[in-house]
């Protein structure tokens, strides 16, 4: 055998594969792989763009490349063929599993994948090389962190309606923007300025101190009309459904 | 005058020779030794089920008791081998059921096994004892029910990481009440619940049960029940390891673990609730094997556990262990032989986990017996690799995966050639190596020069030219398995090292630059090789010689080309080649 690898000249056999790294001419069949060979530092993304363009855009694609051959029944949903989409995260994790390994899907449905995972390591089939059994923690982690994100996002904006006696048009206030009754009361006073009092309040809000002709109440989870200020702030936030500013003498007649 | 020992004596002597390598050598001495040896060989290992045919095996070795087969190439684990590729166990099982009525053990890895085959196994072998299905697929719990029902003397049923169609959890109830021989049961891969009462009864009537690996569906509350029934367990895989905060569960679990005086290995730990970790503290000092690779607990909790395990020899853990946890390993686990660190989320660019090359360096410093490493991390440097190599010249298996393909040394931005070079230079007994990161042809030069004992090499996104592959093929004398993906290796190196391919078990190349024409040439030149071209993209018939092949699998065989391939795989048939050209 030619120990020098034929680098000094032609090699027997004559099969010229288009040059491993020689950067030779592009073979005539235009296969997707030739492009990636010409420049081995080429971005995986470019390779994927090539791959996706040569595949039919099909829903079947999602079920995996190899499924049309062999495999039957329930085995056909090859684990390696599902995509993890953002909205599928909340479904049970035990039966579905992550596939961030089908390069053609990744290339084509990049937007779906990108929102879940970044390019490069995630867009390459079978990389990083992790056996199926060890991909479960990854999925579990992903679901955990996305749930956390989702629920923390949900908590970040909690708005309740505020209605004031004698005013037709109600307002809305974001309770999560406050962390005490004081700030809430001030905000409400600002919202309904002019009706609550004709003078600027200094010091403690008059709504809370009971010196105003109005009183601040809320409707809780049970539908009862309660005076604002009795319970700790957090507990209040977790049970309040809406706020009402009522005229003092009528405060007993909620509804 | 030639002396000749009587057959019985020779047979007795041969019975002490167990390694296949030695057995093969014995059979080559002379014709009579060949004959005696083949009649008394009891174990067969076939590393590639297509390298030989079932009938060839049964013809030569008529009295076999244990067969181990491997099917798909290793890269099938990472979805690189398309569906339907092959690895069908059926023809083997059929032939064995005909030829080996006294067969006791079958071990299959990465093969497709059907329920019919399982049923055949269960009814054909009266003395069947051991069934191991590792990373197999194609069967359901119905097949398992047949095994359970019919194998009277079953000792081991191990389904490690197989993909099983879960039709019903009641297959376990098919173990007859008279079955008391079970020693090892691994059902960790099963997705759905098995009948717990059947499981409990089975465990209760199996006094020799040493290994029990449950699946995730077995709730923590029930674990103590099982442990109390089987205090003799040596290895336990838990189910889900959380249960809300229940002190009664905790205390009974704790007590149950206390009763397991023989327990040396723990695994499972899905959905771990850290507050239950203390429950098995009593076992920690005895633990030699701990698999926390499904446990998404954080470093402080992991560290707490590990520091209690001074006798640990094998540790599998997620990267949540972080460098700090690995420092603790280096301090506490002086007997550590094997470390595997898996990534908890390799797909995000910046993980929330401080696991760097430092962790591995610490362990290499602190654990003098470390020989096997599998390590996923996000950054690596040549200096770290050199340090590791100098610290641990006794490494036998070194698999490093820097998650980003082609990632350079993060300190110098150079390729990791020198680092891996140091590994192969210092670790003279290295048998298995997986490369990653930015690598040029230089690393292959080092490997070809130093890695003389290397048997398996995995390469991805590496090298510049055919010279790289040539270094490996011409230099690594002991190379048996070579798997390559996404490297710019073409025809030249292959064609220059054709003879080498016959000394290896197999070569896998995908997304490289090997041409169809080169495959044809190889196939013509080497009749003892099957050159299989995989092309899911288009028709293999219309391939020009200059077209690169998508995936290529070359393996030596005495069985000729196989006939069970799907349409997108073709063995380059020598005869066909002649007629075409």
């Amino acid at each position: 055998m030619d120990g020098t690898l034929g680098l000094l000249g032609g090699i027997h056999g004559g099969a010229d594969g288009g040059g491993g790294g020689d950067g030779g001419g592009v073979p005539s069949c235009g296969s997707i792989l030739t492009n990636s060979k010409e420049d081995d530092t080429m971005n995986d993304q470019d390779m994927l763009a090539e791959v996706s363009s040569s595949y039919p855009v099909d829903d079947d694609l999602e079920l995996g490349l190899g499924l049309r051959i062999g495999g039957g029944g329930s085995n056909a949903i090859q684990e390696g063929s599902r995509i993890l989409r953002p909205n599928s995260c909340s479904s049970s994790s035990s039966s579905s599993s992550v596939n961030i390994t089908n390069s053609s899907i990744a290339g084509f449905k990049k937007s779906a994948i990108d929102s879940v995972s970044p390019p490069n390591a995630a867009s390459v089939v079978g990389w990083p090389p992790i056996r199926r059994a060890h991909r479960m923690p990854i999925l579990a982690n992903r679901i955990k962190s996305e749930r956390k994100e989702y629920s923390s996002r949900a908590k970040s904006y909690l708005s309740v309606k505020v209605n004031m006696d004698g005013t037709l048009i109600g307002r809305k206030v974001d309770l999560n923007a406050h962390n005490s009754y004081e700030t809430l009361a001030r905000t409400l006073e600002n919202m309904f300025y002019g009706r609550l009092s004709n003078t600027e309040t200094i010091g403690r809000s008059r709504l809370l101190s009971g010196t105003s002709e109005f009183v601040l109440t809320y409707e809780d989870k049970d539908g009862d009309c309660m005076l604002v200020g009795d319970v700790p702030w957090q507990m209040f936030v977790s049970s309040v459904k809406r706020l009402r500013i009522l005229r003092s003498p009528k405060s007993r007649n909620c509804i | 005058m030639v002396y000749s020992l009587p057959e019985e004596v020779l047979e007795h002597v041969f019975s002490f020779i167990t390694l296949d390598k030695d057995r093969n050598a014995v059979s080559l001495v002379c014709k009579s030794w060949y004959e005696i040896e083949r009649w008394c060989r009891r174990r067969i290992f076939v590393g590639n089920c297509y390298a030989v045919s079932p009938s060839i095996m049964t013809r030569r070795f008529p009295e076999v008791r244990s067969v181990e087969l491997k099917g798909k190439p290793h890269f099938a684990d990472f979805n690189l081998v398309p569906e339907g590729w092959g690895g069908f166990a059926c023809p083997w099982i059929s032939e064995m059921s005909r030829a080996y009525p006294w067969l006791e053990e079958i071990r299959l890895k990465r093969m497709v096994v059907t329920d019919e085959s399982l049923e055949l196994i269960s009814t054909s072998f009266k003395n069947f004892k051991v069934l191991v299905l590792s990373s197999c697929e194609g069967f359901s719990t119905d097949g398992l029910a047949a095994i359970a029902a019919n194998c009277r003397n079953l000792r081991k049923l191990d389904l490690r990481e197989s993909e099983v169609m879960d039709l019903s959890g009641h297959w376990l109830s098919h173990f007859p009440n008279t079955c008391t021989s079970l020693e090892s049961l691994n059902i960790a891969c099963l997705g759905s619940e098995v009948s717990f009462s059947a499981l409990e009864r089975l465990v209760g009537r199996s006094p020799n049960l040493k290994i029990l690996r449950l699946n995730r569906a077995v709730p923590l509350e029930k674990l103590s029940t099982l442990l109390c029934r089987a205090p003799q367990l040596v290895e336990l895989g838990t189910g889900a390891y959380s249960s809300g905060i229940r002190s009664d569960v905790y205390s009974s679990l704790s007590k149950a673990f206390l009763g397991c005086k023989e327990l040396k290995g723990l695994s499972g730990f899905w959905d771990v609730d850290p507050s239950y970790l203390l429950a098995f503290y009593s076992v920690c000092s005895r633990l030699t094997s701990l698999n926390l690779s499904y446990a998404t607990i954080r470093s402080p909790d992991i560290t707490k556990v590990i520091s209690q395990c001074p006798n640990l020899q094998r540790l599998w853990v997620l990267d949540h262990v972080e460098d700090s946890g690995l420092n603790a390993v280096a301090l506490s686990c002086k007997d550590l032989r094997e470390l595997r660190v898996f990534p908890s989320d390799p797909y995000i660019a910046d993980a929330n986990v401080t696991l760097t090359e430092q962790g591995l360096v610490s362990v290499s410093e602190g654990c003098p017996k470390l020989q096997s490493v599998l390590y996923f991390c996000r950054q690596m440097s040549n200096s770290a690799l050199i340090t590791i190599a100098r610290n641990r010249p006794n490494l036998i298996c070194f698999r490093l995966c820097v998650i980003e393909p082609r990632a350079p040394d993060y300190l110098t931005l150079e390729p990791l050639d020198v680092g891996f070079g140091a590994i192969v230079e210092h670790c003279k007994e290295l048998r298995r190596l997986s490369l990653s990161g930015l690598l040029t042809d230089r690393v292959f030069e080092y490997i070809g020069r130093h890695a003389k004992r290397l048997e398996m090499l995995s390469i991805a996104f590496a090298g510049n030219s055919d010279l790289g592959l040539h270094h490996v093929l011409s230099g690594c004398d002991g190379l048996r398995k070579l798997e390559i993906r996404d490297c710019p290796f073409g025809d030249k190196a292959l064609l220059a090292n054709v003879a080498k391919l016959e000394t290896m078990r197999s070569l896998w190349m995908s997304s490289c630059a090997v041409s169809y024409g080169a495959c044809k040439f190889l196939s013509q030149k080497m009749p003892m090789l099957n050159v299989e071209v995989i092309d899911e993209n288009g028709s293999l018939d219309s391939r020009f010689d200059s077209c690169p092949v998508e995936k290529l699998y070359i393996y030596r065989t005495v069985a000729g080309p196989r006939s069970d391939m799907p349409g997108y795989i073709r063995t380059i048939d020598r005869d066909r080649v002649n007629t075409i050209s």
Side-chain angles (χ1 to χ4, degrees):
Chain A
M1 291 298 143
D2 186 350
T4 59
L5 191 60
L7 290 175
L8 300 173
I11 204 175
H12 51 228
D16 183 9
D22 285 352
V26 175
S28 53
C29 63
S31 157
I32 44 158
L33 288 172
T34 56
N35 292 326
S36 66
K37 278 199 309 333
E38 279 174 1
D39 177 6
D40 64 312
T41 59
M42 185 168 161
N43 198 335
D44 283 333
Q45 294 294 62
D46 297 346
M47 181 163 91
L48 292 167
E50 297 283 346
V51 172
S52 63
S53 61
S54 49
Y55 280 115
V57 173
D58 223 12
D59 265 355
D60 286 359
L61 201 54
E62 189 174 316
L63 292 178
L65 284 172
L67 268 190
R68 43 195 163 98
I69 291 143
S74 48
N75 212 21
I77 307 300
Q78 167 83 326
E79 174 276 337
S81 318
R82 293 243 199 91
I83 290 186
L84 181 68
R85 291 243 191 75
N87 58 5
S88 70
C89 275
S90 49
S91 59
S92 124
S93 61
S94 57
S95 49
S96 66
S97 38
V98 181
N99 170 41
I100 313 189
T101 58
N102 189 316
S103 63
S104 68
I105 294 178
F108 172 66
K109 294 185 179 170
K110 233 156 82 161
S111 51
I113 293 287
D114 276 349
S115 58
V116 177
S117 55
N120 292 350
S123 325
V124 182
V125 180
W127 189 268
I130 307 172
R131 294 209 303 257
R132 181 168 25 95
H134 288 111
R135 292 180 211 148
M136 281 314 296
I138 296 168
L139 181 60
N141 245 4
R142 186 65 65 78
I143 290 178
K144 239 197 243 174
S145 59
E146 284 190 359
R147 274 219 189 103
K148 239 185 262 172
E149 218 184 274
Y150 181 72
S151 54
S152 62
R153 229 185 295 131
K155 283 205 186 87
S156 66
Y157 188 68
L158 176 63
S159 71
V160 292
K161 292 183 193 168
V162 189
N163 287 96
M164 182 165 144
D165 254 2
T167 311
L168 271 177
I169 301 173
R171 298 294 298 270
K172 267 200 150 178
V173 65
D174 177 12
L175 288 180
N176 278 341
H178 302 276
N179 47 21
S180 75
Y181 289 115
E182 271 304 313
T183 55
L184 174 63
R186 280 194 198 286
T187 305
L188 291 176
E189 279 171 15
N190 284 334
M191 278 183 182
F192 294 95
Y193 183 64
R195 292 180 203 95
L196 282 173
S197 68
N198 284 326
T199 58
E200 258 182 53
T201 50
I202 304 165
R204 195 161 186 249
S205 160
R206 289 180 67 219
L207 258 184
L208 293 175
S209 63
T211 54
S212 161
E213 65 178 295
F214 291 92
V215 69
L216 184 57
T217 67
Y218 71 100
E219 187 182 311
D220 71 359
K221 274 191 291 219
D222 303 321
D224 297 324
C225 187
M226 312 292 293
L227 186 71
V228 166
D230 288 331
V231 298
W233 172 255
Q234 276 306 324
M235 208 177 288
F236 164 70
V237 169
S238 62
S239 58
V240 62
K241 284 286 163 281
R242 61 190 304 164
L243 292 166
R244 285 185 212 275
I245 304 174
L246 304 169
R247 283 189 199 281
S248 249
K250 291 188 183 142
S251 65
R252 278 188 217 118
N253 305 333
C254 291
I255 294 173
Chain B
M1 177 113 177
V2 175
Y3 287 107
S4 180
L5 291 171
E7 258 184 49
E8 298 79 20
V9 175
L10 279 174
E11 216 179 286
H12 183 69
V13 171
F14 292 169
S15 68
F16 294 100
I17 299 171
T18 48
L19 289 181
D20 281 342
K21 206 166 43 108
D22 298 334
R23 280 260 167 185
N24 291 342
V26 160
S27 66
L28 289 174
V29 167
C30 64
K31 276 215 178 97
S32 61
W33 278 38
Y34 175 92
E35 276 302 305
I36 297 167
E37 195 281 320
R38 81 179 185 92
W39 278 95
C40 68
R41 191 172 316 199
R42 298 282 177 262
R43 295 191 150 258
I44 303 279
F45 168 74
V46 180
N48 173 8
C49 65
Y50 291 116
V52 67
S53 73
S55 50
I56 293 177
M57 176 183 78
T58 54
R59 201 168 50 227
R60 179 174 169 188
F61 301 111
E63 296 279 334
V64 167
R65 299 282 184 270
S66 158
V67 174
E68 182 176 348
L69 302 173
K70 292 191 183 178
K72 299 184 199 174
H74 172 241
F75 271 176
D77 286 353
F78 316 128
N79 293 0
L80 286 175
V81 176
E83 181 80 18
W85 175 89
F88 303 108
C90 186
W92 287 90
I93 293 172
S94 306
E95 176 60 16
M96 292 192 293
S97 71
R98 184 198 64 77
Y100 296 152
W102 298 110
L103 191 68
E104 295 176 2
E105 306 181 357
I106 294 180
R107 291 176 170 82
L108 304 176
K109 186 165 184 179
R110 287 193 206 101
M111 294 193 79
V112 178
V113 185
T114 58
D115 284 344
E116 290 72 39
S117 294
L118 289 178
E119 226 171 304
L120 192 57
I121 291 175
S122 72
T123 51
S124 311
F125 310 116
K126 299 297 167 215
N127 208 16
F128 196 69
K129 296 192 175 118
V130 170
L131 181 63
V132 177
L133 300 174
S134 179
S135 303
C136 293
E137 55 173 359
F139 60 100
S140 75
T141 43
D142 285 352
L144 297 179
I147 297 283
N150 301 326
C151 301
R152 301 287 149 128
N153 295 313
L154 194 67
R155 296 215 186 134
K156 179 166 176 161
L157 178 61
D158 188 340
L159 303 176
R160 59 182 85 151
E161 298 190 25
S162 291
E163 211 176 316
V164 184
M165 279 177 273
D166 256 313
L167 300 177
S168 144
H170 289 289
W171 67 271
L172 209 65
S173 330
H174 288 256
F175 278 108
N177 291 333
T178 48
C179 173
T180 56
S181 50
L182 209 57
E183 293 175 10
S184 169
L185 180 65
N186 178 354
I187 54 170
C189 63
L190 292 183
S192 60
E193 240 180 274
V194 291
S195 150
F196 186 77
S197 51
L199 179 62
E200 195 187 334
R201 283 197 307 272
L202 179 63
V203 169
R205 63 173 185 275
S206 306
N208 296 320
L209 191 67
K210 298 280 189 299
I211 300 175
L212 178 64
R213 301 208 195 274
L214 305 168
N215 63 341
R216 193 179 187 172
V218 176
L220 190 58
E221 302 90 75
K222 304 229 172 107
L223 185 57
S224 42
T225 318
L226 288 175
L227 288 180
C228 290
R229 299 280 194 149
Q232 76 282 1
L233 278 181
V234 174
E235 292 192 31
L236 169 73
T238 72
Y241 206 74
S242 62
S243 174
I245 307 293
R246 290 178 50 183
S247 57
D248 55 325
V249 172
Y250 181 87
S251 55
S252 46
L253 194 58
S254 212
K255 234 198 311 182
F257 272 118
L258 210 57
C260 295
K261 305 280 185 209
E262 309 291 321
L263 207 52
K264 291 217 177 61
L266 285 179
S267 63
F269 297 111
W270 285 281
D271 316 313
V272 175
D273 179 345
S275 45
Y276 283 102
L277 282 176
L278 292 161
F280 67 84
Y281 261 24
S282 56
V283 175
C284 285
S285 58
R286 258 176 278 122
L287 276 185
T288 57
S289 167
L290 181 59
N291 181 353
L292 291 173
S293 59
Y294 302 122
T296 54
I297 47 177
R298 292 280 149 187
S299 181
D301 292 315
I302 303 179
T303 308
K304 244 195 286 181
V305 173
I306 292 176
S307 334
Q308 305 285 321
C309 306
N311 290 313
L312 214 53
Q313 293 179 13
R314 179 199 299 172
L315 175 64
W316 292 20
V317 74
L318 283 175
D319 58 6
H320 290 310
V321 68
E322 300 191 348
D323 289 344
S324 51
L326 290 178
N327 289 339
V329 171
L331 281 174
S332 320
C333 308
K334 294 300 182 189
D335 210 18
L336 196 71
R337 320 277 164 101
E338 178 181 330
L339 174 69
R340 295 195 192 190
V341 179
F342 297 95
S344 52
D345 198 343
Y347 303 116
I348 55 177
D350 194 13
N352 213 3
V353 155
T354 326
L355 180 91
T356 69
E357 79 283 8
Q358 272 318 304
L360 187 57
V361 172
S362 307
V363 176
S364 73
E365 266 163 20
C367 303
K369 297 202 192 151
L370 187 70
Q371 8 164 268
S372 175
V373 171
L374 170 62
Y375 200 76
F376 285 82
C377 59
R378 285 185 155 77
Q379 66 187 42
M380 187 49 63
S381 66
N382 282 313
S383 54
L385 283 172
I386 294 171
T387 308
I388 293 167
R390 291 214 176 108
N391 287 339
R392 289 278 66 79
N394 48 328
L395 282 175
I396 289 180
C397 168
F398 188 74
R399 294 190 280 168
L400 177 69
C401 179
V402 184
I403 290 175
E404 183 65 33
R406 301 195 187 93
D409 176 330
Y410 78 102
L411 292 170
T412 64
L413 296 184
E414 283 172 3
L416 291 175
D417 299 338
V418 176
F420 277 105
I423 295 279
V424 291
E425 193 185 335
H426 287 95
C427 307
K428 305 210 190 301
E429 300 297 315
L430 197 68
R431 291 206 287 262
R432 186 168 179 183
L433 178 64
S434 295
L435 305 172
S436 60
L438 183 64
L439 296 165
T440 70
D441 285 345
R442 244 180 114 197
V443 73
F444 300 112
E445 199 189 327
Y446 297 140
I447 291 174
R449 199 188 311 154
H450 295 287
K452 295 304 180 189
R453 295 282 178 95
L454 196 64
E455 293 178 2
M456 182 168 177
L457 179 60
S458 308
I459 308 173
F461 306 104
N464 310 116
S465 72
D466 274 56
L467 201 49
L469 181 57
H470 175 65
H471 284 306
V472 170
L473 290 177
S474 56
C476 297
D477 300 328
L479 199 60
R480 293 190 298 117
K481 287 185 279 184
L482 181 56
E483 46 186 25
I484 304 173
R485 62 163 297 175
D486 294 277
C487 296
F489 299 146
D491 302 336
K492 296 201 183 88
L494 275 187
L495 297 177
N497 291 282
V498 172
K500 174 74 176 176
L501 295 175
E502 216 178 65
T503 68
M504 292 165 50
R505 182 190 294 175
S506 65
L507 167 64
W508 169 277
M509 290 179 76
S510 57
S511 305
C512 295
V514 181
S515 72
Y516 192 64
C519 294
K520 285 202 284 194
F521 177 79
L522 254 175
S523 179
Q524 272 175 300
K525 199 107 174 111
M526 306 294 289
M528 299 297 269
L529 295 180
N530 275 353
V531 178
E532 290 182 11
V533 169
I534 299 173
D535 190 347
E536 295 172 276
N537 198 10
S539 165
L540 282 167
D541 293 314
S542 60
R543 289 258 150 224
F544 295 109
D545 274 8
S546 51
C547 277
V549 302
E550 208 177 283
K551 298 178 185 178
L552 173 64
Y553 188 50
I554 302 175
Y555 55 90
R556 66 177 174 190
T557 179
V558 294
R562 60 185 178 115
S563 53
D564 59 358
M565 296 176 290
Y568 54 82
I569 304 182
R570 187 72 57 80
T571 308
I572 310 286
D573 189 4
R574 288 161 282 282
D575 297 331
R576 257 186 110 232
V577 161
N578 287 335
T579 53
I580 286 175
S581 54

